[in-house]
Amino acid sequence: MALSFLDLRHTVAKPGYNRWLIPPAALAVHLCIGQAYATSVYKTALVKHFDASLTAVGVVFSIAIVMLGASAAVMGTWVDRVGPRRAMFTAACFWASGFLVGALGIALGQLWLVYLGYGFVGGIGLGIGYISPVSTLIRWFPDRPGLATGMAIMGFGGGALVASPLSRRLLALYDPGGDPASGGAVALLFVTLGVAYFLVMMLGVFTVRVPPPGWSPAGFAPAAEPSRAPVAPRGVSAASAIRTPQFWLLWTVLFCNVTAGIGILEQAGPMIGDFFRSGGSTSVSATEAAGFVGLLSMFNMAGRFVWSSTSDYIGRKRTYVGYLGVGMAAYVLLALFGDASTAFFGALAALIISFYGGGFATVPAYLRDLFGTYQVGAIHGRLLTAWSAAGIAGPLIVNRFLDARGEPGALVAADYRPALFTMVGVLAIGFAANLLIRPVAERHRAAEAEARVSDPSPAT
């Protein structure tokens, strides 16, 4: 068959394969699907083109994030079964097709086609692409799982750093007159991104490999792992994992961490201006606000690598104690003293967002510590439903409080305090849930024979 190279048996690495090729392969996928964070570049143009509200156009992004969580949960077991190459290829097809269907909707003036394309079809590609390299990375790097997943998932946080300037340049090239109401430039942008992202993601498809059965890094001794977290001796299936209290406690941890972080991300630009508003005007310029958003993107990306790598040495539970405990302190300081100076405000917000990104990158290794490598990708997919829920809860909490306090453009620092203190409570719930996590009971673990058949490269 033409696509037989996608089969798992053709993906097993030959002797001498360099495992450090796997993070770039995963990064090729995550940098592309990380474009989801850059939708604000053309959001205003779509509003004018469709003569729609910001809310109506914003639904496109909401559908994509909901489908990310849903497809990751539903397809997680399939991804583990067929291997990373077929999963990455499928993700590339859905992600690219989403752009092309969305471009058709823009060209025809049909917003529902953009919902269907970028939102629904593209969102499926987001979910499959996000989880496709996770279990493979963990199997190649049993000695440094936090570092490996951090390097890949860092790409999702940093995708906007590439997509935003690229999209602006392409929009200027396709429509030198700068008439956003025409929509033609955005349609061409979608076609260009769809083709370009497919080609880049295919680099990851052809590069990725799974380790041969029984492989482990030279000199690796599981008992001497620096993470100080014993890896599950026998894996837990995805179906069994969701019946354990550990899964739902970790789901709560991720939900709380993401809810707190995404509330700031969604409101970042207006927020810094409001905190330094006096007499109806703000001392923060539009350029400075845009720079602040870029700063948060960099810390979102850096946190995914730095904090997840640190978790290999101090352990996953202690790392989340930092995310949630220090995060609570940072929110209190932001609420009470954030308007003292823009530098102090920026430092606190950047720290919070680094924890937001770090939480995403550390959770696959946390799952591996609790449930083993057997079906860890499928378990990760189910856990990402916490992201979908937090994507609704975080902005809802912040926006509801702000709507009750006044009109946009007239808010001040004090108006944010109820929302910020609410986030402290949210993080406290996650902090308690993290402390309650214990090793998984032996009755939930898969039989060793089953794990060997289903896992082509079990950890040793």
Side-chain angles (χ1 to χ4, degrees):
M1 293 177 61
L3 297 180
S4 61
F5 75 98
L6 299 176
D7 292 346
L8 183 58
R9 67 180 185 275
H10 294 149
T11 316
V12 178
K14 291 182 169 60
Y17 181 81
N18 188 345
R19 65 173 176 162
W20 288 99
L21 292 174
I22 300 300
L27 196 61
V29 173
H30 274 244
L31 275 174
C32 293
I33 62 177
Q35 188 276 343
Y37 279 144
T39 55
S40 60
V41 172
Y42 47 79
K43 186 175 182 181
T44 301
L46 292 181
V47 167
K48 294 183 178 180
H49 175 62
F50 288 110
D51 192 22
S53 66
L54 280 168
T55 300
V57 172
V59 168
V60 177
F61 177 74
S62 297
I63 294 173
I65 294 301
V66 169
M67 290 307 301
L68 185 159
S71 60
V74 172
M75 301 297 291
T77 304
W78 176 82
V79 169
D80 268 356
R81 186 175 70 252
V82 303
R85 179 175 288 175
R86 186 174 294 276
M88 287 179 176
F89 178 77
T90 303
C93 291
F94 273 98
W95 185 232
S97 298
F99 277 102
L100 298 181
V101 174
L104 180 63
I106 296 168
L108 297 178
Q110 299 293 322
L111 184 57
W112 70 270
L113 273 175
V114 185
Y115 290 161
L116 174 64
Y118 188 95
F120 186 82
V121 176
I124 294 174
L126 275 175
I128 297 175
Y130 193 90
I131 65 172
S132 58
V134 169
S135 61
T136 302
L137 283 163
I138 288 174
R139 287 169 182 145
W140 275 112
F141 292 87
D143 49 342
R144 283 177 278 186
L147 169 70
T149 56
M151 280 191 291
I153 294 176
M154 173 181 69
F156 192 86
L161 293 179
V162 176
S164 292
L166 174 63
S167 297
R168 289 191 181 95
R169 286 183 176 273
L170 288 173
L171 286 173
L173 175 66
Y174 292 147
D175 186 10
D179 178 18
S182 68
V186 184
L188 288 173
L189 171 68
F190 269 43
V191 171
T192 304
L193 292 179
V195 173
Y197 284 146
F198 181 81
L199 294 176
V200 173
M201 292 171 80
M202 290 304 292
L203 294 176
V205 169
F206 285 107
T207 303
V208 73
R209 299 286 190 280
V210 297
W215 177 90
S216 66
F220 173 61
E225 282 192 87
S227 69
R228 302 175 190 171
V231 183
R234 287 191 292 117
V236 180
S237 70
S240 295
I242 62 173
R243 294 196 292 268
T244 67
Q246 287 83 357
F247 176 89
W248 293 106
L249 286 169
L250 191 52
W251 191 99
T252 301
V253 168
L254 184 63
F255 171 79
C256 292
N257 192 59
V258 175
T259 296
I262 209 167
I264 280 192
L265 269 181
E266 193 265 345
Q267 192 67 19
M271 186 177 181
I272 191 171
D274 293 339
F275 257 69
F276 298 95
R277 186 182 306 283
S278 178
S281 62
T282 179
S283 60
V284 178
S285 68
T287 301
E288 290 170 331
F292 172 65
V293 174
L295 175 73
L296 294 188
S297 295
M298 287 189 288
F299 273 83
N300 182 7
M301 179 175 66
R304 294 169 188 249
F305 176 70
V306 173
W307 298 130
S308 61
S309 300
T310 302
S311 77
D312 285 336
Y313 297 92
I314 67 173
R316 255 55 81 172
K317 179 178 283 191
R318 290 177 182 174
T319 301
Y320 274 93
V321 165
Y323 293 156
L324 301 160
V326 178
M328 283 189 283
Y331 263 106
V332 170
L333 291 173
L334 191 63
L336 297 178
F337 308 111
D339 56 349
S341 73
T342 53
F344 186 61
F345 177 92
L348 288 173
L351 181 65
I352 290 169
I353 294 306
S354 76
F355 292 158
Y356 165 84
F360 280 118
T362 308
V363 82
Y366 208 161
L367 288 170
R368 170 260 198 181
D369 293 347
L370 291 170
F371 301 107
T373 60
Y374 173 52
Q375 294 197 344
V376 68
I379 300 170
H380 185 220
R382 286 159 171 77
L383 194 77
L384 288 180
T385 55
W387 184 3
S388 296
I392 297 171
L396 184 64
I397 290 171
V398 173
N399 291 327
R400 282 292 179 91
F401 275 113
L402 295 182
D403 285 342
R405 302 285 293 190
E407 295 292 327
L411 298 170
V412 295
D415 296 322
Y416 283 81
R417 284 176 186 147
L420 295 177
F421 283 125
T422 299
M423 292 305 182
V424 173
V426 169
L427 288 173
I429 295 171
F431 186 88
N434 181 54
L435 294 181
L436 291 172
I437 294 176
R438 299 289 185 271
V440 177
E442 189 66 24
R443 67 179 181 275
H444 295 294
R445 304 200 181 282
E448 290 185 16
E450 178 188 357
R452 282 197 298 270
V453 170
S454 301
D455 185 352
S457 53
T460 58

